[in-house]
């Protein structure tokens, strides 16, 4: 066992795939400008929400102390679930401690070997893991390709279709309306992982009118922790009664539920945050294009810059950090081999000067990488 672990660690290192933890520091503690996290509206450090967390802990304690079906289900949980149903139009809701556990639990509880589940090629790992655990047949359609999806759906009516609202590594948006229409025509359920869309896309984009089941997370736009599954009362009743992850896990802390409700209400009463995020996205894309930085079609806060090589993307990210910027270096298996990228995420707290400075530094580093790569590929002079 020890030899195998040592061997695999060495192989990861050689391939540029060794993942290691690094202690992060808050913006208040560091001069580094962070373009790596998913706190799109900057709520994680909002003083009013820090007070809400304190108030929730004072009222309910710092932990839930038991699973939801024993004594871990409080009025704080009920209030949050009701607010989420009000926003999305779903009949019922259940809370989880993370988006990964919500997705995985939903898939491996809802489906079995008799089911076919049709999923976007780039759907999140938590969905794939849950489907594999369920024993269901998985059929994948080309990413965001409605024609590819239609062909599979037509062959498998009365199935379930799974996609994301905003894809976490590419930042592109799924064709929810078209998928919803297809599913209704062929008697299929549409399930959407709305982790990166909830709170930043209009609530009309993903809701009960278009999807049968919606998974939202609190650790992105809301700056909190936890997740929820929203669906019909019958589906939620079934999941509550049968989902092992829910039955045998300590419930989400009621203080976190209280905080999340406060974050939702704060976001709704401060529309200027979303307006600023939108302006920052537009500015970044304009500056990147003006500096000949190749960007994707994403118009969301997630702005990937494709590098390709694992070692090069790590090197560029490290150089960015030395020059004052934190940017995610994403490699396989999170993304396909050869598609390593810098994952730049914008938020409402970034200043125009921060974005300009990042683009200036990116321009220099990417052009250096491109020049070095071209030099390595150029014919070498022969010496005698």
């Amino acid at each position: 066992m020890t030899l195998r672990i040592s061997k695999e660690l060495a192989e990861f290192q050689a391939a540029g795939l060794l993942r290691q933890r690094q202690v992060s520091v808050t913006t208040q503690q560091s001069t580094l400008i962070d373009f790596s996290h998913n706190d799109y509206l900057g709520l994680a450090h909002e003083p009013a929400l820090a007070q809400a967390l304190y108030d929730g802990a004072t009222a309910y304690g710092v932990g839930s102390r038991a699973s939801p079906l024993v004594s871990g289900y409080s009025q704080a949980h009920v209030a949050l679930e009701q607010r989420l149903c009000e926003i999305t139009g779903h009949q019922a809701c259940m809370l989880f401690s993370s988006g990964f556990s919500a997705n995985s639990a939903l898939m491996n509880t809802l489906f079995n070997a008799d089911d076919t589940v049709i999923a976007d090629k780039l759907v999140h790992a938590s969905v794939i893991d849950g489907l594999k655990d369920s024993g269901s047949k998985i059929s994948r359609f080309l990413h965001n390709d409605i024609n590819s999806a239609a062909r599979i759906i037509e062959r498998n009516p009365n199935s379930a279709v799974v996609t994301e609202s905003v894809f976490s590594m590419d930042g592109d948006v799924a064709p929810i309306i078209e998928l919803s229409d297809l599913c209704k025509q062929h008697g299929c359920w549409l399930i959407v992982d709305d982790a990166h869309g909830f709170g930043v896309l209009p609530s009309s984009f993903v809701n009960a009118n278009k999807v049968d089941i919606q998974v939202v997370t609190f650790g992105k736009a809301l700056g909190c922790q936890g997740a929820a599954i929203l669906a019909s009362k019958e589906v939620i009743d079934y999941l509550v009664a049968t989902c092992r992850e829910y039955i045998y896990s300590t419930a989400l802390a009621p203080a976190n539920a209280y905080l999340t409700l406060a974050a939702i209400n704060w976001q709704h009463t401060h529309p200027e945050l979303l307006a600023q995020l939108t302006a920052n996205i537009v500015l970044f894309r304009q500056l990147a294009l003006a500096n000949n930085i190749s960007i994707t079609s994403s118009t969301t806060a997630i702005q990937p810059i494709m590098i390709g090589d694992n070692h090069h993307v790590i090197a560029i990210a490290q150089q960015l950090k030395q020059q004052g910027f934190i940017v995610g270096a994403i490699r396989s298996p999170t993304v396909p081999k050869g598609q390593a990228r810098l994952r730049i995420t914008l938020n409402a707290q970034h200043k125009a000067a921060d974005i300009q400075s990042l683009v200036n530094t990116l321009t220099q580093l990417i052009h250096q990488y491109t020049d070095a790569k071209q030099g390595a590929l150029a014919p070498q002079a022969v010496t005698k």
Side-chain angles (χ1 to χ4, degrees):
M1 181 70 75
T2 300
L3 289 175
R4 178 177 63 80
I5 290 173
S6 298
K7 180 176 180 291
E8 290 189 13
L9 284 173
E11 290 172 350
F12 293 154
Q13 180 73 53
L17 296 176
L18 183 62
R19 288 162 169 77
Q20 296 176 300
R21 295 176 294 180
Q22 297 185 34
V23 177
S24 64
V25 293
T26 65
T27 303
Q28 291 87 341
Q29 297 170 322
S30 172
T31 57
L32 293 171
I33 303 172
D34 196 339
F35 285 92
S36 69
H37 61 67
N38 300 317
D39 183 19
Y40 301 129
L41 300 179
L43 299 186
H45 289 101
E46 170 55 49
L49 297 182
Q51 182 63 47
L53 180 59
Y54 175 81
D55 293 343
T58 300
Y60 294 98
V62 297
S64 58
R65 305 181 298 173
S67 72
L69 298 188
V70 178
S71 57
Y73 188 56
S74 72
Q75 184 56 40
H77 298 101
V78 174
L80 174 57
E81 289 176 351
Q82 290 176 340
R83 182 72 169 110
L84 289 168
C85 288
E86 177 186 325
I87 292 170
T88 63
H90 291 282
Q91 293 177 349
C93 176
M94 62 192 298
L95 304 177
F96 287 80
S97 295
S98 75
F100 196 105
S101 62
N103 271 336
S104 178
L106 173 64
M107 299 300 150
N108 68 38
T109 304
L110 201 57
F111 302 114
N112 59 38
D114 295 328
D115 297 309
T116 295
V117 180
I118 303 162
D120 187 286
K121 187 71 174 177
L122 298 185
V123 80
H124 196 266
S126 56
V127 172
I128 298 303
D129 286 358
L131 290 174
K132 288 180 177 178
D133 289 343
S134 75
S136 61
K137 178 185 176 183
I138 309 171
S139 186
R140 312 285 289 277
F141 61 90
L142 297 177
H143 175 54
N144 276 351
D145 188 324
I146 197 68
N147 293 322
S148 176
R151 287 192 292 271
I152 301 174
I153 290 171
E154 288 166 2
R155 294 197 301 267
N156 298 276
N158 305 308
S159 300
V161 177
V162 186
T163 189
E164 300 182 23
S165 57
V166 176
F167 284 82
S168 59
M169 291 298 113
D170 290 83
D172 50 352
V173 178
I176 298 296
I177 295 174
E178 293 87 345
L179 284 172
S180 178
D181 290 343
L182 267 176
C183 287
K184 289 173 182 176
Q185 291 170 19
H186 296 279
C188 295
W189 280 7
L190 178 58
I191 302 173
V192 175
D193 176 3
D194 196 21
H196 291 271
F198 186 74
V200 289
L201 293 182
S203 57
S204 59
F205 184 65
V206 179
N207 58 35
N209 292 327
K210 296 183 178 70
V211 308
D212 298 279
I213 301 177
Q214 181 175 353
V215 179
V216 301
T217 60
F218 313 144
K220 276 74 177 180
L222 297 179
C224 304
Q225 182 180 9
I229 298 173
L230 293 127
S232 68
K233 184 178 184 301
E234 184 176 48
V235 168
I236 296 300
D237 285 348
Y238 176 77
L239 292 172
V240 168
T242 60
C243 177
R244 293 173 66 83
E245 289 86 344
Y246 190 76
I247 295 169
Y248 298 113
S249 291
T250 299
L252 177 73
N256 280 337
Y258 186 94
L259 166 64
T260 301
L261 178 57
I264 290 172
N265 292 335
W266 184 269
Q267 181 252 331
H268 276 260
T269 56
H270 291 79
E272 69 277 7
L273 295 173
L274 184 55
Q276 186 59 58
L277 172 63
T278 302
N280 287 346
I281 295 168
V282 171
L283 177 61
F284 173 81
R285 291 184 61 80
Q286 288 175 341
L287 292 173
L289 290 172
N291 284 273
N292 296 316
I293 295 175
S294 180
I295 56 177
T296 69
S297 61
S298 168
T299 57
T300 68
I302 302 166
Q303 293 291 319
I305 295 180
M306 308 303 290
I307 302 300
D309 181 80
N310 291 334
H311 295 288
H312 284 130
V313 77
I314 294 171
I316 294 173
Q318 289 173 341
Q319 291 177 64
L320 281 168
K321 188 172 184 179
Q322 291 170 6
Q323 299 194 44
F325 305 98
I326 303 176
V327 172
I330 309 300
R331 297 151 287 160
S332 61
T334 306
V335 295
K337 290 181 179 179
Q339 294 187 24
R341 68 197 63 185
L342 298 170
R343 181 182 183 268
I344 294 169
T345 51
L346 299 156
N347 68 68
Q349 305 305 316
H350 286 137
K351 308 299 183 187
D354 299 336
I355 298 171
Q356 178 72 71
S357 184
L358 172 67
V359 171
N360 290 344
T361 307
L362 275 171
T363 301
Q364 177 187 12
L365 293 176
I366 290 174
H367 289 168
Q368 286 177 358
Y369 159 70
T370 303
D371 292 343
K373 183 178 179 181
Q374 290 174 345
L377 295 175
Q380 300 297 310
V382 178
T383 58
K384 295 184 180 180

